[in-house]
Amino acid sequence: MSSSTTVRKLQVVSPVPADIDIANSVEPVHISQIAKDLNLSPNHYDLYGKYKAKVLLSVLDELQGSEDGYYVVVGGITPTPLGEGKSTTTVGLCQALGAFLDKKVVTCLRQPSQGPTFGIKGGAAGGGYSQVIPMDEFNLHLTGDIHAITAANNLLAAAIDTRIFHESTQSDKALFNRLCPPNKEGKRSFSDVMFRRLTKLGISKTNPDDLTPEEVNKFARLDIDPNSITWRRVMDINDRFLRKIAIGQGPDEKGMVRETGFDISVASEIMAVLALTTSLADMRERLGKMVIGNSKSGDPVTADDLGVGGALTVLMKDAIHPTLMQTLEGTPVLVHAGPFANIAHGNSSIVADKIALKLVGPGGFVVTEAGFGADIGAEKFMNIKCRYSGLTPQCAIIVATIRALKMHGGGPAVVAGRPLDHAYLTENVALVEAGCVNMARHISNTKSYGVNVVVAINKFSTDTEAELNAVRSAALAAGAYDAVICTHHANGGKGAVDLGIAVQKACENVTQPLKFLYPVDLSIKEKIEAIAKSYGASGVEYSEQAEKQIEMYSKQGFSGLPICMAKTQYSFSDNAAAKGAPSGFVLPIRDVRASIGAGFIYPLVGTMSTMPGLPTRPCFYDIDLDTTTGKVIGLS
Amino acid sequence: MNSSTTVRKLQVVSPVPADIDIANSVEPVHISQIAKELNLSPNHYDLYGKYKAKVLLSVLDELQGSEDGYYVVVGGITPTPLGEGKSTTTVGLCQALGAFLDKKVVTCLRQPSQGPTFGIKGGAAGGGYSQVIPMDEFNLHLTGDIHAITAANNLLAAAIDTRIFHESTQSDKALFNRLCPPNKEGKRSFSDVMFRRLKKLGISKINPDDLTPDEVNKFARLDIDPNSITWRRVMDINDRFLRKITIGQGPDEKGMVRETGFDISVASEIMAVLALTTSLADMRERLGKMVIGNSRSGDPVTADDLGVGGALTVLMKDAIHPTLMQTLEGTPVLVHAGPFANIAHGNSSIVADKIALKLVGPGGFVVTEAGFGADIGAEKFMNIKCRYSGLTPQCAIIVATIRALKMHGGGPAVVAGKPLDHAYLTENVALVEAGCVNMARHISNTKSYGVNVVVAINKFSTDTEAELNAVQSAALAAGAYDAVICTHHAHGGKGAVDLGIAVQKACKNVTQPLKFLYPVELSIKEKIEAIAKSYGARGVEYSEQAEKQIEMYSKQGFSGLPICMAKTQYSFSDNAAAKGAPSGFVLPIRDVRASIGAGFIYPLVGTMSTMPGLPTRPCFYDIGLDTTTEKVIGLS
């Protein structure tokens, strides 16, 4: 391995300063230097300012023949509301591998939503001395991918309501005449996207004038059932007042009022498409196949039926390229996609991982983070993402904290924004040991995929030696390949060197092939039940609505898709208060929905909020700009 | 002047191909080359891919001591719905000046909204052989400025409804406790933005604990009157179903239902702020001063009152830098801001113009376009933009077409999407001459600002020599400095060389200082009446609502702001069907609103739509991506 010219070792200060102050204390190197260290030629990336670049997919063609590096996924135990430091561990590990262990390494992270940045504390760039920089560029706009998703999602939404409106006011003939207007020579033609609908309808004619009146009716009239529309508008702002709204109340909309709402942009199916696509052509197909609702006769209506699939692809064509950034210690980071980890699969993109694995090459490391606990993010990483990407991970890290383990052992409730109970600030080995059942189940579940599991014990200042050692022993007893105490928040990469060494060994010593939890050809119910079993459930019960939806999706031909469970992140079960490793419960499936273009069915276990609100004193009170230096202040 | 190494002369084809095909037939040069030709150092711009760069405001500090170039504004006669080619003329003139007349030149254009690109035909990058390239990058996303405006606008909207909600559910003490929570040491403090509200209230204390209960009430309770809220959410998509909506219908919003709606993003006041600001510090002030509505006691409530002024500035901090692009013939273009020309002032930004004037230097040319006819865009350019910028134009171009002049002479109605009447396709000198009264009034009005007026007669293939000569004679008789026939759509810069020569002479021979139509210290009514007089009105009548609003704004201290008339672009009068140069009419002011942060009062003459809809067959049917070459197809 050649030594990188851009990595640097940090001079740390104790106690650890605020994240934004640490981020601002380190001058990033020009991103072209980071690219050069990865052997990226200027033809394969586009600069976006001095510290960001978009890595073009064309680099995959160039590196098609080279081997992949090692592939590591970071998950966690079931978290407290405060989070257990998965992002910080992901970054710290990479700083260790790159700056201290002289390995080629790329971190692959999700792009954070902008909404929470202005609402509640906590960015997503890691923390302390393990961060992606520049922090403000990471948390705001980045390179506009979420903005592109917002625009594309809302273009499709506008197309839906407008089409319903136009169909309600025009005859078949008038509709068709406008859809295929004669050109200056009086000749009509179908646009490219229209052939997709014609194919779906089994019409093979290429000249609009040849269609029979019945064919005109079928082609021109989507006959959307307004009550079946699942597509909502999105916005990347926390705005609870848009959760449920009525639209179309203007006089010109002729009484076509409809109830709908806004999700936050990262909850859009288009975000999930971006994360799961493997190429530009594949993205075009997935976008066109997105189902927005049904016709009155029960057929799924797609974006291509509405004529908008190509336009969505155009809006997303730059978003498909991941954004290159760097850590505090100068190691490369690819930031791409950021789907929710509840109603979507909570992982960064396949294309970023594929590019990174080629760039680091054999013996190099790609580390990606899976959202929430391993029952959610890592499960979906394995069963959805790896299935679509065809990639094989060697190692899964499970991040654990004493705080969370005490909670699982029976400690008092942990509430965001409230001081921690005394039990979390003083030594209590028995409480920690009691909570290790949660970690043990995550280790067992994750091992079943065939990867080596390493537990990263994220050390806090209140943790004692006895508590830390108890966790380490419990992890090894539960079958972890290794368990390592880490201090990367306080010490940067230096604090994760032991973790880096453990991960190297884990990757080099894989003995099992990748094994999915279920084959996709099982029925929807059988797949749901396989996942529920991994949660410790004794069975599953389906609501009437869920049964109806499962029947509909099966009838429509979508039963072969993987399952993306939408479940609370705070428990293995549907009950957020059930800590530890609950078992013997019946998992209630309240509803079942689908993201057909992204390619998964998502059962709802309980209610999932897809549009957060703002508190009384949102973080925007602290966020400002020094208009002399242009620096952002007050980001947390 | 040294000859540029990036300009090139076009090989044109007849008949003129589609805009996207012409744009795709020319390979742009790397934008760093365009920057180099302008003597921009890499420190003063950030690349955004290969063909776009953001020019940083810091270049103004560097060039503070150098002189400005000539400043030219392009307006037009009152247009048909098809537009008369102002953008094409602006670009063609610059191609002529740069590629044929060897002058330093920068074009300053507005960024087009993304909504119309997917809705109706016609981009804004010029047309034919006079275009900004790459066309797809110009019409989609660009460098994310409109996305930033959307996010900032909607953050403020969410802050409004959330604040009303939180105030309705909490006591003064609880509100204050959350707004100024104690830190870990139990000490409370005000954030920077809070001091703005304290100052507004006349409270000089700096320690929250020192406030009296009455002061706590005044500080913590904005007491927003929901019926007074003027701030709407925005989206950069044509979506008529969001024109009028009801929000807050979710169960958790406790019945706080409110009627509101969405505008298209370029209609946001934040867009107008971006266009009229002169620096980062000035933008911070303007954003904070935006008024969203009133308290129940009638006081204006600002973005700073809501605590969000700094956060808005952070979201907009990169948007303040203009985007550098190029024309088909390689001359530089600065694309920045894109406010509506009806409810806002319809001009690109002051900062882009200031940067451009320094970059071209003495003897160079900056050409900027003002939206719609000269009664709207050019009037606001003079009376609003130049007032705030302190810049002085030398020349105003008025673009005229035979088609529009025939319409003004009494020709049949011109309707978008319908074939032109026979009268527009055959010679009719008398009809043209009859329509020249419209052009004559625009010339007279524009000359009154002290600039030399050049008429650019945009030649169409159906125009005859006799018709063109008639317009030229009429323009000169009306007092134009010169009148030139142009063919830049068909011939690129070569077709505008005579226009370029005329503009050079006009700039060198200015004899009058810049003179505004009215001083700002006049009352709101007096200023409205001064503008109405320039329209040919004999008087103004105010509705009851308008009277009430004028009284409110005057009482609130905003009567010193310039006036931004929101009037139909299709007539000097309020009646769109009144062509030619109508006079003797009474101009009805139906309502009066204000953009306090942007800095203008806007009287409404008739109804202005701020959210367009989509037709039955929107342009998105034709827009797609060649996923092999990554080229955009079907943009018009």
Side-chain angles (χ1 to χ4, degrees), chain B residues 425-436:
Chain B
L425 307 175
T426 52
E427 180 177 89
N428 189 334
V429 175
L431 192 61
V432 172
E433 285 174 339
C436 283

Side-chain angles (χ1 to χ4, degrees), chain A residues 538-556:
Chain A
S538 64
V540 178
E541 74 186 359
Y542 300 90
S543 72
E544 187 174 330
Q545 167 70 8
E547 293 275 7
K548 191 183 88 179
Q549 292 288 94
I550 290 171
E551 183 182 346
M552 179 188 74
Y553 290 129
S554 301
K555 179 184 163 191
Q556 290 180 340

Side-chain angles (χ1 to χ4, degrees), chain A residues 134-274:
Chain A
M135 181 190 174
D136 57 320
E137 296 197 35
F138 182 77
N139 282 301
L140 300 166
H141 306 308
L142 196 70
T143 46
D145 294 356
I146 295 180
H147 293 321
I149 288 163
T150 303
N153 184 104
N154 293 342
L155 177 63
L156 178 51
I160 295 165
D161 287 300
T162 299
R163 185 57 171 261
I164 294 173
F165 175 81
H166 286 307
E167 284 188 25
S168 75
T169 57
Q170 298 176 53
S171 66
D172 289 358
K173 185 174 177 180
L175 274 174
F176 191 64
N177 200 51
R178 287 197 170 88
L179 287 172
C180 303
N183 65 7
K184 288 174 183 172
E185 292 93 50
K187 180 177 164 58
R188 296 175 194 272
S189 58
F190 291 119
S191 63
D192 283 350
V193 70
M194 290 175 178
F195 284 110
R196 292 166 180 256
R197 176 155 178 82
L198 292 166
T199 298
K200 179 175 165 177
L201 295 170
I203 298 173
S204 55
K205 296 167 181 173
T206 59
N207 183 350
D209 291 327
D210 294 343
L211 264 61
T212 67
E214 188 196 3
E215 286 169 338
V216 164
N217 171 272
K218 277 181 178 163
F219 170 76
R221 238 168 244 290
L222 304 184
D223 207 26
I224 298 167
D225 175 2
N227 295 320
S228 74
I229 297 170
T230 52
W231 197 262
R232 288 159 60 94
R233 290 165 175 80
V234 298
M235 175 185 292
D236 199 21
I237 297 287
N238 289 19
D239 191 351
R240 67 191 291 171
F241 279 77
L242 296 182
R243 285 173 183 163
K244 193 175 179 189
I245 67 175
I247 64 170
Q249 296 183 319
D252 293 333
E253 281 70 64
K254 302 192 195 308
M256 294 186 61
V257 176
R258 183 167 79 81
E259 275 194 0
T260 182
F262 276 71
D263 295 334
I264 198 160
S265 296
V266 295
S268 170
E269 179 173 346
I270 296 179
M271 175 59 97
V273 164
L274 182 66

Side-chain angles (χ1 to χ4, degrees), chain A residues 10 51 121 168 179 199 239 268 309 321 334 364 377 432 450 456 516 553 560 562 575 581 594 601 616:
Chain A
L10 294 169
Y51 306 118
K121 279 187 185 299
S168 75
L179 287 172
T199 298
D239 191 351
S268 170
H321 307 300
L334 284 177
V432 172
F516 299 127
Y553 290 129
N575 176 8
I601 304 281
T616 307

Side-chain angles (χ1 to χ4, degrees), chain B residues 369-441:
Chain B
E369 182 197 356
F372 295 146
D375 53 320
I376 297 183
E379 183 269 302
K380 298 173 184 181
F381 171 87
M382 301 292 182
N383 291 303
I384 300 177
K385 184 177 178 183
C386 287
R387 213 188 288 263
Y388 279 122
S389 69
L391 298 170
T392 301
Q394 286 79 37
C395 174
I397 295 169
I398 292 179
V399 177
T401 63
I402 299 296
R403 175 178 68 197
L405 290 168
K406 283 178 171 176
M407 178 187 72
H408 288 300
V414 177
V415 181
K418 292 198 185 159
L420 283 173
D421 184 273
H422 181 259
Y424 294 101
L425 307 175
T426 52
E427 180 177 89
N428 189 334
V429 175
L431 192 61
V432 172
E433 285 174 339
C436 283
V437 285
N438 181 271
M439 177 178 67
R441 181 179 288 177

Side-chain angles (χ1 to χ4, degrees), chain B residues 286-417:
Chain B
R286 286 174 180 270
L287 290 172
K289 284 177 178 165
M290 295 187 304
V291 171
I292 61 92
N294 295 333
S295 69
R296 287 181 211 274
S297 56
D299 294 318
V301 176
T302 65
D304 274 337
D305 287 323
L306 286 149
V308 75
L312 299 181
T313 309
V314 164
L315 282 167
M316 294 295 294
K317 76 177 172 74
D318 294 322
I320 199 175
H321 307 300
T323 299
L324 180 65
M325 291 185 82
Q326 64 194 277
T327 65
L328 285 168
E329 286 175 303
T331 63
V333 181
L334 284 177
V335 185
H336 202 218
F340 260 14
N342 47 22
I343 63 154
H345 66 299
N347 280 268
S348 72
S349 78
I350 287 173
V351 294
D353 291 7
K354 284 194 165 194
I355 289 170
L357 286 162
K358 294 300 186 192
L359 292 176
V360 299
F365 293 84
V366 170
V367 183
T368 184
E369 182 197 356
F372 295 146
D375 53 320
I376 297 183
E379 183 269 302
K380 298 173 184 181
F381 171 87
M382 301 292 182
N383 291 303
I384 300 177
K385 184 177 178 183
C386 287
R387 213 188 288 263
Y388 279 122
S389 69
L391 298 170
T392 301
Q394 286 79 37
C395 174
I397 295 169
I398 292 179
V399 177
T401 63
I402 299 296
R403 175 178 68 197
L405 290 168
K406 283 178 171 176
M407 178 187 72
H408 288 300
V414 177
V415 181

Side-chain angles (χ1 to χ4, degrees), chain A residues 355-427:
Chain A
I355 289 171
L357 287 162
K358 294 298 185 194
L359 291 176
V360 299
F365 293 83
V366 170
V367 184
T368 184
E369 183 198 355
F372 295 147
D375 53 319
I376 298 183
E379 183 269 302
K380 298 174 184 182
F381 171 86
M382 301 291 182
N383 291 303
I384 300 177
K385 185 176 178 183
C386 288
R387 212 188 289 262
Y388 279 122
S389 69
L391 298 171
T392 301
Q394 285 80 37
C395 174
I397 294 168
I398 292 179
V399 178
T401 63
I402 299 295
R403 175 177 69 197
L405 290 168
K406 283 178 170 176
M407 179 187 72
H408 288 300
V414 176
V415 181
R418 304 247 182 102
L420 283 173
D421 184 273
H422 180 259
Y424 294 100
L425 307 175
T426 53
E427 180 177 90

